[in-house]
Amino acid sequence: MNKALFLDRDGIINVDHGYVHRIEDFEFVTGIFDLCRLAASKGYQIFVITNQAGIARGYYDKATFEALSTWMANVFAEQGITIAKVYYCPHHPSKGINEFVMPCNCRKPEPGMIMQAQQEFSINLAESIFIGDKPSDMQAASNAGIKTRILVDSRYTNEPHEVKLSEIIKLDALNQASKYIE
Ligand SMILES: [Mg+2]
Ligand SMILES: [Zn+2]
């Protein structure tokens, strides 16, 4: 069984400027490459788990998202880091303009994307880590049975939420996460 480092994208890999879908708007978060290199050295496979309701809303399409993901993975590769797979949810339950407006089991806080990775890569979720910047990231990780759940402070973490802070690790910045990569 493999262990995984699951990363939210917007706010964790790239600065969350809102529905980022162009290379010129993709600004890597300080420390993300060092963190991923550390995780890889300790045997973690690295996955991206991202809600992309901008697709349902018609702000960009799947092909645009996938092209950006390929570019992103290539930048990681240049840094010596393999991204095993990018999982994304194109849906929104109610808002949007196309066939992706629908309820689904992949949009976080649902655990669908994590469970798909678990099946495709034989991941031991109890030995895995999720890093996100929204309470819904922590809920998805909890719903999937991931042991180590790390919430990096963002404008979203001050909103009311149901995540028990005693059950997660809350950090001021991503570059503080390295000591939890065991
Ligand atoms: Mg995020
Ligand atoms: Zn979905």
Side-chain angles (χ1 to χ4, degrees), residues 35-53:
L35 188 73
C36 288
R37 267 192 294 266
L38 175 68
S41 76
K42 300 204 171 190
Y44 291 87
Q45 287 186 294
I46 300 169
F47 297 90
V48 180
I49 303 286
T50 178
N51 286 356
Q52 292 293 326

Side-chain angles (χ1 to χ4, degrees), residues 8-12 14 16 50 108 132-134 137 154 156:
D8 173 41
R9 200 198 73 175
D10 297 289
I12 298 298
N14 56 287
D16 189 355
T50 178
K108 297 174 285 185
D133 71 334
K134 286 186 179 178
D137 291 314
S154 73
Y156 304 106

Side-chain angles (χ1 to χ4, degrees), residues 49-51 89 91 93 102-116 130 135-146:
I49 303 286
T50 178
N51 286 356
C89 167
H91 307 112
M102 54 177 274
C104 67
N105 66 7
C106 44
R107 181 176 165 82
K108 297 174 285 185
E110 295 297 321
M113 292 187 279
I114 300 167
M115 303 316 294
Q116 193 180 344
F130 197 110
S136 58
D137 291 314
M138 301 298 98
Q139 289 166 340
S142 176
N143 289 338
I146 292 176

Side-chain angles (χ1 to χ4, degrees), residues 53-104:
I55 297 170
R57 291 171 181 269
Y59 299 160
Y60 47 94
D61 61 14
K62 277 187 160 185
T64 299
F65 174 81
E66 289 177 7
L68 181 62
S69 294
T70 299
W71 172 85
M72 178 191 79
N74 286 338
V75 175
F76 275 97
E78 288 166 5
Q79 296 283 332
I81 299 156
T82 300
I83 300 294
K85 188 164 176 177
V86 175
Y87 292 91
Y88 68 101
C89 167
H91 307 112
H92 191 281
S94 59
K95 296 194 178 80
I97 60 166
N98 54 33
E99 72 270 29
F100 300 113
V101 181
M102 54 177 274
C104 67

Side-chain angles (χ1 to χ4, degrees), residues 24-45:
E24 55 265 38
D25 298 326
F26 202 98
E27 182 185 347
F28 285 93
V29 171
T30 303
I32 187 63
F33 297 125
D34 287 341
L35 188 73
C36 288
R37 267 192 294 266
L38 175 68
S41 76
K42 300 204 171 190
Y44 291 87
Q45 287 186 294

